[in-house]
Amino acid sequence: MTNSFGEFARARMFVVIGSNMTEAHPVAATFVKNAVARGARLMVVDPRRHALVDHAHWHIPIRVGSDIAFLNAVMQVLIAEELYDKAFVASCTTGFEDLRAKVAGYPPERAAAICGVTPEAIREAAREMAAVKPAMLCYTLGITEHTCGRNNVVTVANLQMLLGNMGVECGGVNPLRGQNNVQGACDMGALPNVFPGYQPVVNAEARAKFEAAWNVPHLPEKPGLMIPQMMEGLVSKKIRAFYIFGENLAGTEPDIRKVEHELAAAEFLICQDIFPTETTRFAHVVLPAAAWSENDGTFTNSERRVSRVRTASAPPGVAQPNWWIFREIARRLGHTWAADSAQALWDDEIAVLAPALAGIRYHRLEGDGLQWPCTREDHPGTCVLHKDGDFTCGRGKFTPVDWTPPAEESCSEYPLVLSTGRRLAHYHTRTQTGRCEGMNAILGEETADISPLDAADLGIADGERIRVRSRRGQVEVKAKVSPRMPRGLVWMAFHFREANANWLTNPAFDPVTLTAEYKACAVRIEKTG
Amino acid sequence: MAADVFTLNGRETPFTPGQTILEAAGAAGVRIPTLCHLEGTLPTGACRICVVEVEGARTLLAACTTPAAAGMQVHTESPRVVAARKTILELLLASGNHNCAAVAGDGARWTDFQLRVAQTEKTADLCPAWGDCRLQELAFQYQVHAGTYAPPDAGPDLEDVNPMIVRDLSRCILCGRCVKACNEVQVNKAISFGYRGSRTRIVAAGDRPLIESDCVFCGECVQACPVGALVERKAGYAWRPWKAERIRTTCPYCGVGCQQWLHVQDGKIVKVTGVEEAAPNRGRLCVKGRFGYDFIYSPDRLRTPLIREGEDFREASWDEALDLVAERLKAVIAAHGPDAVAGVSCARSINEDSYQMQKLFRAAIGTNNIDHCART
Ligand code: SF4
Ligand code: SF4
Ligand code: SF4
């Protein structure tokens, strides 16, 4: 997030796109609802009329995967009607002419046909967005989990720059991160192309710095593989040893059958986890780890806030902290590392090596933590990024892109679109929430949510068991007929093994980020009887 | 006298226009007791425990709704105020099943009452809020005994069918904090005041149990309830504040990063509450953050390293398992190069773990094949 949750309460307007906030980020949603109660405006762009829409002034139910067409058309209107922030565009951005040329190809009439809304709705949306400044734009995986996910992300940034909503309080581009520490895992360099602090592995200077710090003669310069490439490498034998730490890939990756085939092909699979999972079934060695609240450390939330995690109870059996396990393996590979606690890792290595974290030390994290960039020990941390148009590399650059349809569109054989996500009371494959007393009583089984119109067409009653089929698999699941669903859409989560949506999802990936298209694949539904 | 100054217990005290007596007194370090007041929501003046004496006013005034005014003379603990508070507390205590020592004034009657409560609640323990109850605290502070009014005859008013939350409205003092927490703080709009007059009670739509209502089990109402009317099911009678230690931490689920208090008793988390005033959540939690902690005590936890043997696993020591891992990694690196090894880190675990894993891959194995589910 360029901005912070603390600004939600004071914000004057929100544009929420592809984010089912009340279920996926419930506490963040409470601050949006508070702001609305105090007079803030709320526009929700989402195929589903999810619970946040109950509080919204406008709901624009665009079709799954039509975000770029919609946003480009909004920008076309902003430019044609001269509603954009000319001063900001002139002084803080580059590439405006390219953007103008690109979005000229998206008049509302054209986008309306792609998005399934009226041209007037698009015009009105553009005018309303321009009417209140600043506006906070929030998005979640509805933007990223597409084959055009990266292009979706740059398009929302284009919009906020065009509106002059960047670098100001209560504005900005605010992706709400799914997992508690996905921001931190990126910051720490658990990515194939960057060291901690986003220093590129292809950069010789960066390598030299880490070679010296880690006391090794040579660090690899070629960016590594991303998860889908690794998985395919298991079958092609490009990858011989695979180490999975804490992820239940056999439940969370698209097309479970394919994933299980890949995992079964692994020559040597190491799984490090707190529970046996669908994935550990394929392991050759399973290493038991300490869980949340069983060791000390830090998490970094969506607003870049580094907060402490503290020990409350002891891990079971001989389970050990994860960092200890990695250290022991390194030692057996001939590398002796000094840091023998999470605090030592942070204070002596992470803060020293990542410039944006240089001012953060454990002793400074006792209260509410610190938001990076925090570059010196007397730096208070940063709530709002790019303040006063100050982008990381000079001016903000418009990156105009074209709309592309999802990899798999509905057809006569698979006439509906399946989109997926999380539900409130559970988390991912339920390895944790499924083992918390009471959670299964709140939500005990998966449903396929469908619209009353589709239900009527197919003669399906609420609560009836149905079969959902895609080109990759099928599941049997209870139908939930909901007026919140638009015609043509089926919605499911991946919390329950038997009815996990990932038996159906399409392993098609964004070409740049290799994020899978969890949000759109073609399915059909049928009665089981 | 200067503008924006009033007299509080004989002392000149500044205030900002618009501030209530309660807020101005709080800013000056003078605590006025409250029951129904909930930070960040509209005051209602319902419980009247915050009454103060304002010279020249005919009646006592509720400090939470009365704005401070220049020249006002306010007494927060005058004999009239204390007498009024005592009466309020006595009535509140006598209004429900408040089976704690605060009502133990009259031995015989109390024993009968306690036995009756114990029977219906199937435990000999005192109220689960014992030690963490504003009413009890105030009863002790104002030395109130329940002798004046008879304990109630009404039995418990227990709603025990919900996951996560037990409601016993026989202990409800109708302060309305839960209603504000649900409607104004979390804006879930699941509960409200229902019925009228002496039958007034807090209800979900249609007076149905929470599990059949719009309740999303965020537990904000439980955190707001000043008495034992709303209690965490899992903490129940087990949690006792004087036995528990409070440890601050960060929620393990989503990217909001809510700040939690872990209430730890005998080495185990027995309940979780939000850290009031803390960024980013200001005391709020959702169902996962508040009630999703006990997975760590599941008997399914991995307790020891495991090594595959045919279709099964056998238990192994750390040395054996780690030696095997190192040997196999060395063999793969020797035969196929370091890029034949790949790893996936965990987006739910601490920063230090991800740092250490990428360091293992880059520095010790010699490959950049390290990723995590960054985009999902
Ligand atoms: S748990 Fe949350 S939603 Fe349910 S009644 Fe309490 S405050 Fe309202
Ligand atoms: S349930 Fe608790 S918070 Fe709600 S009105 Fe009764 S005493 Fe107050
Ligand atoms: S309490 Fe809920 S909203 Fe807050 S971090 Fe945890 S899961 Fe997210």
Side-chain angles (χ1 to χ4, degrees):
Chain A
M1 286 165 64
T2 60
N3 291 58
S4 300
F5 291 120
E7 292 157 55
F8 279 29
R10 302 191 300 275
R12 302 186 55 212
M13 171 146 179
F14 297 89
V15 177
V16 175
I17 176 161
S19 173
N20 175 21
M21 220 189 271
T22 50
E23 294 199 72
H25 300 92
V27 169
T30 67
F31 292 110
V32 173
K33 293 185 279 186
N34 295 157
V36 170
R38 274 183 220 122
R41 316 257 89 192
L42 172 61
M43 182 182 295
V44 176
V45 182
D46 203 291
R48 289 190 300 158
R49 201 167 61 71
H50 56 60
L52 194 62
V53 176
D54 300 349
H55 303 262
H57 301 88
W58 307 277
H59 173 221
I60 306 169
I62 62 169
R63 275 194 198 113
V64 168
S66 67
D67 309 75
I68 295 175
F70 171 73
L71 294 168
N72 277 356
V74 164
M75 290 191 277
Q76 193 272 345
V77 174
L78 292 172
I79 294 172
E81 301 189 4
E82 302 206 19
L83 296 170
Y84 65 100
D85 187 332
K86 289 180 198 146
F88 183 87
V89 167
S91 60
C92 302
T93 68
T94 63
F96 175 68
E97 285 311 318
D98 296 342
L99 181 78
R100 180 209 290 273
K102 177 69 77 191
V103 302
Y106 292 83
E109 280 67 22
R110 176 181 171 215
I114 299 170
C115 303
V117 298
T118 64
E120 261 329 293
I122 296 175
R123 287 205 173 84
E124 189 195 339
R127 290 172 196 145
E128 297 296 348
M129 285 185 204
V132 183
K133 266 187 78 167
M136 293 191 97
L137 189 144
C138 302
Y139 70 85
T140 308
L141 302 173
I143 282 292
T144 48
E145 288 182 353
H146 282 289
T147 44
C148 58
R150 179 248 171 210
N151 286 348
N152 280 343
V153 170
V154 301
T155 304
V156 297
N158 288 343
L159 173 68
Q160 282 297 66
M161 287 196 291
L162 191 65
L163 288 166
N165 283 336
M166 295 299 284
V168 286
E169 268 193 37
C170 302
V173 173
N174 300 289
L176 306 182
R177 311 303 304 256
Q179 287 105 332
N180 60 328
N181 203 39
V182 68
Q183 179 70 51
C186 292
D187 301 346
M188 293 302 111
L191 292 170
N193 58 340
V194 289
F195 291 116
Y198 304 97
Q199 301 167 80
V201 297
V202 295
N203 180 321
E205 243 172 81
R207 283 200 308 278
K209 169 178 167 178
F210 282 91
E211 282 159 4
W214 292 341
N215 196 21
V216 289
H218 172 78
L219 284 171
E221 59 194 74
K222 195 173 84 218
L225 303 179
M226 293 192 256
I227 294 175
Q229 298 165 318
M230 295 175 182
M231 306 287 288
E232 275 157 24
L234 294 172
V235 177
S236 71
K237 297 294 166 210
K238 194 172 169 193
I239 299 300
R240 305 277 174 162
F242 193 31
Y243 196 148
I244 303 174
F245 161 29
E247 298 285 342
N248 185 10
L249 299 179
T252 58
E253 294 296 297
D255 193 354
I256 294 178
R257 262 202 334 204
K258 171 167 175 281
V259 172
E260 296 198 337
H261 169 71
E262 290 163 338
L263 289 172
E267 274 183 22
F268 188 61
L269 180 63
I270 308 156
C271 284
Q272 183 166 313
D273 215 307
I274 61 172
F275 288 113
T277 66
E278 286 88 9
T279 307
T280 59
R281 290 183 293 141
F282 298 93
H284 297 91
V285 179
V286 180
L287 303 174
W292 164 83
S293 85
E294 292 170 352
N295 57 357
D296 285 359
T298 55
F299 288 152
T300 307
N301 77 352
S302 300
E303 51 174 7
R304 300 163 277 105
R305 184 185 301 279
V306 181
S307 301
R308 279 296 315 276
V309 184
R310 293 185 178 83
T311 309
S313 45
V318 298
Q320 288 282 354
N322 295 288
W323 58 262
W324 179 92
I325 301 172
F326 297 129
R327 183 171 179 259
E328 283 296 308
I329 295 171
R331 188 165 63 78
R332 285 169 170 79
L333 295 177
H335 297 256
T336 306
W337 293 342
D340 62 353
S341 68
Q343 172 162 9
L345 279 166
W346 186 282
D347 285 353
D348 302 343
E349 299 193 34
I350 296 165
V352 175
L353 291 166
L357 308 173
I360 302 179
R361 293 291 186 289
Y362 264 42
H363 73 83
R364 294 191 67 197
L365 296 177
E366 282 306 308
D368 287 350
L370 284 165
Q371 287 175 277
W372 65 257
C374 175
T375 47
R376 299 176 316 275
E377 277 213 58
D378 58 355
H379 191 293
T382 309
C383 304
V384 181
L385 290 183
H386 315 307
K387 234 183 171 153
D388 308 315
D390 167 27
F391 290 87
T392 333
C393 35
R395 291 171 164 224
K397 187 170 177 305
F398 285 111
T399 312
V401 292
D402 276 310
W403 169 75
T404 48
E408 192 177 78
E409 293 186 279
S410 53
C411 58
S412 55
E413 202 184 343
Y414 297 98
L416 302 172
V417 174
L418 171 73
S419 197
T420 71
R422 297 189 245 271
R423 300 187 196 268
L424 176 64
H426 282 301
Y427 199 85
H428 283 205
T429 54
R430 245 170 14 105
T431 51
Q432 297 179 0
T433 49
R435 291 182 172 97
C436 291
E437 195 191 320
M439 291 293 187
N440 292 335
I442 296 176
L443 181 70
E445 68 174 314
E446 185 55 73
T447 57
D449 303 359
I450 56 173
S451 82
L453 297 171
D454 290 323
D457 284 356
L458 294 159
I460 291 169
D462 186 40
E464 181 177 336
R465 287 197 77 75
I466 57 171
R467 198 174 293 118
V468 186
R469 232 186 243 282
S470 81
R471 290 190 174 84
R472 289 150 298 278
Q474 55 168 312
V475 298
E476 270 192 38
V477 61
K478 205 158 119 180
K480 181 169 150 196
V481 179
S482 163
R484 294 185 179 277
M485 294 295 298
R487 191 182 199 113
L489 191 66
V490 182
W491 198 90
M492 292 176 66
F494 53 115
H495 301 314
F496 295 85
R497 170 80 184 173
E498 300 306 318
N500 187 323
N502 286 327
W503 293 106
L504 309 170
T505 45
N506 187 9
F509 301 93
D510 180 285
V512 183
T513 64
L514 295 197
T515 302
E517 193 148 64
Y518 293 99
K519 297 301 187 209
C521 74
V523 295
R524 75 165 178 270
I525 54 183
E526 15 185 85
K527 294 169 82 89
T528 49
Chain B
M1 188 181 286
D4 303 346
V5 172
F6 73 118
T7 311
L8 186 64
N9 298 339
R11 250 174 227 267
E12 292 211 339
T13 307
F15 68 93
T16 24
Q19 250 179 346
T20 61
I21 296 175
L22 181 71
E23 288 162 344
V30 174
R31 254 186 74 164
I32 298 173
T34 59
L35 278 171
C36 70
H37 183 73
L38 183 65
E39 201 61 48
T41 62
L42 292 174
T44 52
C47 74
R48 299 199 58 81
I49 200 75
C50 71
V51 286
V52 292
E53 188 167 350
V54 176
E55 285 181 25
R58 213 164 27 85
T59 55
L60 299 177
L61 299 177
C64 69
T65 51
T66 310
M72 208 178 225
Q73 312 258 348
V74 178
H75 304 276
T76 66
E77 301 283 340
S78 69
R80 242 182 105 195
V81 168
V82 170
R85 286 192 190 142
K86 276 194 168 196
T87 307
I88 294 169
L89 291 169
E90 281 165 5
L91 285 168
L92 286 177
L93 282 172
S95 73
N97 280 330
H98 298 289
N99 60 326
C100 66
V103 258
D106 169 349
R109 271 206 302 189
W110 188 72
T111 310
D112 284 351
F113 163 62
Q114 176 56 26
L115 283 174
R116 205 169 61 228
V117 177
Q119 214 167 26
T120 44
E121 296 201 356
K122 299 186 194 76
T123 169
D125 279 346
L126 299 181
C127 171
W130 165 273
D132 181 45
C133 174
R134 276 299 281 155
L135 180 60
Q136 186 189 48
E137 235 174 82
L138 291 171
F140 286 136
Q141 184 184 334
Y142 288 94
Q143 299 178 17
V144 172
H145 290 288
T148 328
Y149 303 94
D153 301 322
D157 190 351
L158 201 63
E159 182 179 303
D160 200 18
V161 296
N162 303 308
M164 310 306 184
I165 298 172
V166 177
R167 298 170 88 210
D168 183 352
L169 295 186
S170 72
R171 294 199 177 95
C172 173
I173 58 171
L174 292 174
C175 69
R177 278 169 63 98
C178 56
V179 175
K180 290 186 207 173
C182 188
N183 292 275
E184 291 180 55
V185 178
Q186 292 257 353
V187 207
N188 291 326
K189 303 188 180 167
I191 50 174
S192 59
F193 281 95
Y195 304 101
R196 271 155 199 261
S198 65
R199 296 183 58 223
T200 304
R201 51 194 266 125
I202 308 298
V203 294
D207 200 2
R208 286 194 310 257
L210 292 179
I211 186 71
E212 294 167 29
S213 77
D214 288 340
C215 171
V216 294
F217 294 98
C218 66
E220 194 75 23
C221 54
V222 181
Q223 187 162 327
C225 182
V227 294
L230 298 175
V231 175
E232 292 93 346
R233 172 177 292 284
K234 290 190 238 190
Y237 287 91
W239 174 73
R240 293 296 181 184
W242 61 88
K243 285 201 226 158
E245 180 194 1
R246 264 187 358 171
I247 296 173
R248 181 170 168 169
T249 199
T250 307
C251 174
Y253 289 103
C254 88
V256 178
C258 294
Q259 294 298 295
Q260 306 166 309
W261 287 119
L262 306 179
H263 300 259
V264 180
Q265 207 167 292
D266 304 323
K268 265 191 145 184
I269 303 171
V270 290
K271 83 169 185 171
V272 175
T273 53
V275 181
E276 305 283 354
E277 303 304 312
N281 52 313
R282 308 273 153 217
R284 306 168 185 195
L285 294 173
C286 77
V287 60
K288 293 187 287 285
R290 194 180 302 276
F291 299 116
Y293 57 87
D294 44 333
F295 68 91
I296 56 174
Y297 304 122
S298 159
D300 301 342
R301 283 288 299 275
L302 290 167
R303 309 172 59 83
T304 166
L306 302 171
I307 292 177
R308 173 168 297 280
E309 244 180 17
E311 286 302 294
D312 282 321
F313 290 101
R314 68 173 170 82
E315 297 190 351
S317 70
W318 273 115
D319 274 332
E320 191 188 3
L322 292 172
D323 286 345
L324 174 67
V325 167
E327 286 323 308
R328 293 293 302 260
L329 288 177
K330 279 188 207 163
V332 168
I333 296 167
H336 307 282
D339 287 336
V341 184
V344 176
S345 186
C346 175
R348 303 276 310 281
S349 195
I350 54 176
N351 284 319
E352 292 77 1
D353 291 342
S354 270
Y355 171 82
Q356 193 85 321
M357 187 176 189
Q358 61 86 39
K359 183 177 174 184
L360 172 71
F361 271 72
R362 295 194 159 107
I365 295 171
T367 178
N368 284 315
N369 287 341
I370 176 77
D371 198 7
H372 70 286
C373 53
R375 298 146 301 257
T376 56

